[in-house]
Amino acid sequence: APYVRKEPLDEMIAKITVRARLLGVLMFVIDEFNNGHWGRRDAANTLLHTVRSIGNRTQRPFVLAGTPDVENVLRNDAQLNERCIRQSLPLMETQQSMLDLLKTFEARLGRPLCPDLDEEKRAQLVWDIAGSKLGRIAILLRQAEAHAAAKG
């Protein structure tokens, strides 16, 4: 079901602003920004207005994460387009980059992800399961860490 706002938008923005100051918020992060209601112009304008207003009132930066569709949204809003610095996360392009990432993760974990497999096979396993997208790899590594912690 779609979200239905129960109070006026300006009141919600004011509450967020006050709470952000009280809590000492240094940055706002909105993941999956591409899932905004971009098909409906009024909903899209409301979301963009909200982001701009909170940013203006708190003087805090926003990180808007999502698919390349986010770029299109920002490009169509003059104020956000002017303020935003674009940065794309790289894909894991080589087996070596996957090995390097796994070594870092395994060092933090304190043991190999799959001790019965050699380094290259572990990297290939992660590659086969998660692909080259860092977000999917991160989810897989968090799940592996939780599983390892549960096993002791």
Side-chain angles (χ1 to χ4, degrees):
Y3 172 74
V4 178
R5 204 173 47 244
K6 295 182 176 100
E7 61 186 316
L9 183 60
D10 286 337
E11 286 181 28
M12 288 177 64
I13 291 170
K15 284 181 181 179
I16 291 170
T17 302
V18 168
R19 289 178 181 151
R21 285 190 181 131
L22 288 173
L23 294 170
V25 171
L26 300 176
M27 178 186 301
F28 294 93
V29 178
I30 301 177
D31 194 10
E32 299 293 333
F33 193 69
N34 51 286
N35 289 327
H37 300 285
W38 308 122
R40 291 188 31 228
R41 187 164 179 76
D42 61 327
N45 286 339
T46 299
L47 182 56
L48 294 172
H49 168 75
T50 302
V51 169
R52 280 192 309 267
S53 295
I54 293 170
N56 288 340
R57 291 180 187 189
T58 62
Q59 296 296 301
R60 296 292 184 248
F62 270 84
V63 173
L64 305 174
T67 66
D69 293 335
V70 173
E71 176 71 28
N72 296 331
V73 171
L74 296 177
R75 195 177 303 118
N76 290 321
D77 184 277
Q79 199 176 98
L80 289 176
N81 187 43
E82 183 179 293
R83 294 180 183 177
C84 290
I85 299 169
R86 273 65 163 194
Q87 186 168 354
S88 296
L89 293 176
L91 297 175
M92 286 285 158
E93 294 180 358
T94 65
Q95 184 86 2
Q96 186 58 49
S97 59
M98 182 67 76
L99 274 170
D100 294 343
L101 176 68
L102 280 179
K103 285 178 186 174
T104 302
F105 169 75
E106 291 173 343
R108 193 180 94 214
L109 187 60
R111 62 178 175 207
L113 185 61
C114 300
D116 52 326
L117 298 176
D118 66 40
E119 281 184 346
E120 288 186 19
K121 287 182 181 170
R122 286 197 305 269
Q124 187 61 50
L125 178 65
V126 172
W127 192 282
D128 290 344
I129 294 171
S132 61
K133 305 239 179 195
L134 284 174
R136 290 183 191 151
I137 294 167
I139 290 168
L140 178 66
L141 294 180
R142 278 195 301 272
Q143 290 171 341
E145 186 174 24
H147 180 73
K151 281 192 156 190

